[in-house]
Amino acid sequence: MNILKKLFGSKENANQQSASENLLETYKKVPWMTEARLETLSICLDAGFKPASSLPTEFDKQMRPSIEIAKRLNALKALILWVMVPESNIPSERIVNFVDENELQRFMTDEEKKILSSSRDDDECRNTIGWKFENAWPLAWYFGYHEPEINGQMMTAEQIQDILLNYSCPFDETIENWTKNKETISEESLIKKEDLFYCLHNAVISAQLGRNTVPPDFDPVENGGAIHERRHSLTWMLSKGIDWDDTDLGT
């Protein structure tokens, strides 16, 4: 049985590889295709995602200052701690002071600002805060955390704890000081990663419309939501002067 499964599995893998190679050849025929995009599409196909061939390849992207990326990351930190950590562990006053001293409300949406006025044990806020984890991952990656994954699996509690403890500003330090000597990823790396998630997001949206554009075990809604939120942060990082809610997430 194992031998048969191995044989049939190998044949199936070979067929999938052949299909990916054929699709990649189709992409190459697009008049505006670039080498950078072909590299991105190859990663997508290898992982089982099939973005549309009609996606544009040229964008007017401007990277934000590091301090803005740091403040968005730490704004999310404040929101997550408000909802997930009891008052007895971290007093509300300490979180509010951190937000005020670093002007983090400027990097929160109107809906997010309301969280800081809610109860620390608000179940509704707690049920939706997980998407903020996904927003935080690419921002933390910019400051040294490992690369955001493309499988769509939502972050674990251990991962977000690692980010909050080791890749964000401590409460007793200003964000300006925290960012001074921080090594960050290059703009080129950020552009490549954003393009990857742009293409993945396109495949996700197509799958949500019923098309066969994501891996078989990939849930277009739950796993797709993680891709969407990670892409949001990456695109925002390359959208200088644009508010979070106004980030262009079109595909």
Side-chain angles (χ1 to χ4, degrees):
M1 180 68 177
N2 288 336
I3 294 176
L4 290 174
K5 186 175 181 180
K6 189 173 182 180
L7 287 172
F8 284 114
S10 298
K11 184 176 180 180
E12 183 179 347
N13 291 339
N15 290 338
Q16 289 175 348
Q17 183 176 354
S18 177
S20 295
E21 290 172 354
N22 291 338
L23 194 51
L24 194 60
E25 289 302 315
T26 301
Y27 290 136
K28 289 179 180 179
K29 296 176 183 177
V30 175
W32 57 86
M33 188 56 63
T34 64
E35 288 299 321
R37 174 57 61 76
L38 283 173
E39 183 179 337
T40 293
L41 291 170
S42 181
I43 295 171
C44 291
L45 292 174
D46 286 346
F49 296 90
K50 302 170 187 173
S53 61
S54 58
L55 294 178
T57 57
E58 299 295 331
F59 301 92
D60 182 19
K61 298 176 181 177
Q62 287 187 294
M63 188 170 171
R64 290 179 178 276
S66 293
I67 187 65
E68 292 188 9
I69 297 172
K71 289 197 173 188
R72 176 59 182 164
L73 171 61
N74 283 279
L76 293 175
K77 170 182 178 173
L79 296 170
I80 291 168
L81 292 177
W82 186 274
V83 172
M84 300 301 294
V85 179
E87 168 89 23
S88 57
N89 288 13
I90 303 180
S92 298
E93 183 180 6
R94 194 174 186 204
I95 298 175
V96 170
N97 286 342
F98 180 69
V99 169
D100 290 344
E101 288 172 6
N102 291 285
E103 300 181 326
L104 298 185
Q105 290 222 15
R106 290 180 50 217
F107 294 88
M108 296 179 185
T109 67
D110 289 341
E111 287 301 312
E112 289 171 345
K113 291 172 187 175
K114 293 177 183 177
I115 292 176
L116 295 180
S117 300
S118 68
S119 167
R120 293 288 294 274
D121 57 0
D122 188 306
D123 287 337
E124 185 177 349
C125 291
R126 191 165 291 162
N127 289 337
T128 60
I129 201 69
W131 296 119
K132 305 300 179 189
F133 295 5
E134 307 306 327
N135 294 147
W137 192 341
L139 302 171
W141 169 61
Y142 180 76
F143 292 106
Y145 190 61
H146 64 80
E147 295 185 25
E149 296 174 358
I150 67 173
N151 59 17
Q153 294 298 315
M154 295 188 72
M155 293 185 72
T156 64
E158 290 75 19
Q159 286 176 306
I160 194 62
Q161 185 177 33
D162 189 18
I163 287 175
L164 298 182
L165 289 175
N166 301 311
Y167 296 91
S168 65
C169 180
F171 277 166
D172 58 359
E173 188 175 355
T174 65
I175 293 175
E176 282 80 2
N177 285 336
W178 181 75
T179 56
K180 278 182 181 177
N181 299 314
K182 281 288 177 186
E183 289 190 15
T184 59
I185 60 170
S186 67
E187 184 172 0
E188 180 183 3
S189 295
L190 177 55
I191 289 173
K192 285 183 178 180
K193 189 66 67 179
E194 193 272 343
D195 192 61
L196 173 59
F197 274 80
Y198 166 71
C199 291
L200 292 170
H201 191 203
N202 172 264
V204 164
I205 291 175
S206 294
Q208 290 171 349
L209 296 173
R211 302 187 183 103
N212 182 26
T213 53
V214 295
D217 57 349
F218 185 95
D219 186 307
V221 176
E222 182 175 324
N223 301 134
I227 296 295
H228 170 96
E229 298 300 341
R230 292 169 197 171
R231 187 266 169 118
H232 195 153
S233 285
L234 290 164
T235 301
W236 178 83
M237 291 160 75
L238 291 171
S239 303
K240 183 179 179 181
I242 304 298
D243 289 341
W244 178 264
D245 277 344
D246 295 329
T247 306
D248 184 359
L249 298 178
T251 62

